[in-house]
Amino acid sequence: TQLLEQSPQFLSIQEGENLTVYCNSSSVFSSLQWYRQEPGEGPVLLVTVVTGGEVKKLKRLTFQFGDARKDSSLHITAAQPGDTGLYLCAGAGEGDSGYALNFGKGTSLLVTP
Amino acid sequence: NAGVTQTPKFRILKIGQSMTLQCTQDMNHNYMYWYRQDPGMGLKLIYYSVGAGITDKGEVPNGYNVSRSTTEDFPLRLELAAPSQTSVYFCASSYYRGRGEAFFGQGTRLTVV
């Protein structure tokens, strides 16, 4: 199993602040995905990054894939209460290890008004 | 468009009982997965399937069994339930292996007492 370490595990901030969540591994991934999960629901895909160094933006969310394809970050600008949730990174391995996604433990984000 | 449907949503089992968690998808995806999610532990892969008639073990398969007789259905069987199997179970499917977007069901919250 290719391990993904997410940090921080918990984050509580006020509306309007910026934050960055990190996802690190010693393994190389063919792609890395970020999911958001709300209580009582399954995770929902936010973005997939495939190329080393790739940066993708989704409104106030910016995702980056490390040059070596071993790590990724999620940056949220001017966080809103609606951003509250559990953020999970997931990596797909290369070759035969790429049949299923390996998930990090998640970052639980709380944004208060 | 139903996507991935899991039943039941909640269940309480006594130690030693057995049950089947149902999962069906209507997106004609070949790849299907079962994950369990424990607090602060992210999602761990139990079993996966790359198509009808083909299944393989994930990271935590002990105490579980699966079958895949059709493309649509991927039931998870718990034999001789134990308290360690108390968890939230998610079924997911994807069109592409690994790096493709995984679509998740709403989850089954299982308590073994």
Side-chain angles (χ1 to χ4, degrees):
Chain A
T1 302
Q2 298 166 295
L3 294 176
L4 282 162
E5 302 278 348
Q6 277 188 248
S7 62
Q9 190 174 358
F10 300 99
L11 197 51
S12 179
I13 62 172
Q14 290 196 313
E15 182 175 2
E17 291 184 24
N18 301 332
L19 66 119
T20 302
V21 176
Y22 299 94
C23 177
N24 297 298
S25 176
S26 59
S27 302
V28 175
F29 291 97
S30 64
S31 67
L32 203 138
Q33 299 178 350
W34 285 92
Y35 288 80
R36 185 173 141 212
Q37 184 179 18
E38 303 208 13
E41 301 290 330
V44 176
L45 180 71
L46 294 173
V47 77
T48 300
V49 285
V50 177
T51 306
E54 183 176 3
V55 176
K56 280 192 174 179
K57 291 193 174 185
L58 186 66
K59 295 183 181 177
R60 292 176 293 100
L61 279 60
T62 302
F63 304 86
Q64 185 161 10
F65 201 14
D67 291 341
R69 292 185 290 133
K70 293 183 179 181
D71 55 85
S72 181
S73 64
L74 157 60
H75 182 79
I76 301 179
T77 303
Q80 310 273 322
D83 295 327
T84 293
L86 179 67
Y87 290 81
L88 295 156
C89 67
E94 298 184 307
D96 288 346
S97 64
Y99 279 107
L101 292 167
N102 294 305
F103 282 83
K105 293 183 179 180
T107 294
S108 182
L109 172 65
L110 174 64
V111 183
T112 53
Chain B
N1 206 1
V4 178
T5 303
Q6 289 183 239
T7 56
K9 198 163 175 63
F10 303 94
R11 184 73 186 266
I12 298 174
L13 274 184
K14 293 185 178 179
I15 294 172
Q17 287 185 324
S18 300
M19 76 165 293
T20 299
L21 281 66
Q22 301 292 344
C23 175
T24 188
Q25 53 96 4
D26 63 359
M27 296 173 283
N28 202 33
H29 288 166
N30 280 326
Y31 301 96
M32 294 189 75
Y33 318 88
W34 274 106
Y35 290 90
R36 60 175 288 172
Q37 185 175 36
D38 300 306
M41 297 302 292
L43 289 147
K44 294 195 174 181
L45 183 66
I46 305 171
Y47 271 95
Y48 67 95
S49 169
V50 303
I54 307 171
T55 63
D56 207 347
K57 296 178 181 178
E59 185 184 355
V60 290
N62 291 343
Y64 307 94
N65 275 301
V66 293
S67 60
R68 184 95 182 271
S69 57
T70 66
T71 299
E72 294 78 21
D73 299 308
F74 190 39
L76 177 71
R77 178 86 178 158
L78 277 73
E79 304 281 2
L80 300 175
S84 62
Q85 293 178 305
T86 293
S87 188
V88 181
Y89 292 85
F90 287 99
C91 178
S93 72
S94 66
Y95 184 77
Y96 298 103
R97 77 175 202 179
R99 62 193 289 172
E101 176 179 1
F103 293 84
F104 285 82
Q106 287 195 304
T108 295
R109 182 174 294 275
L110 175 67
T111 303
V112 181
V113 296

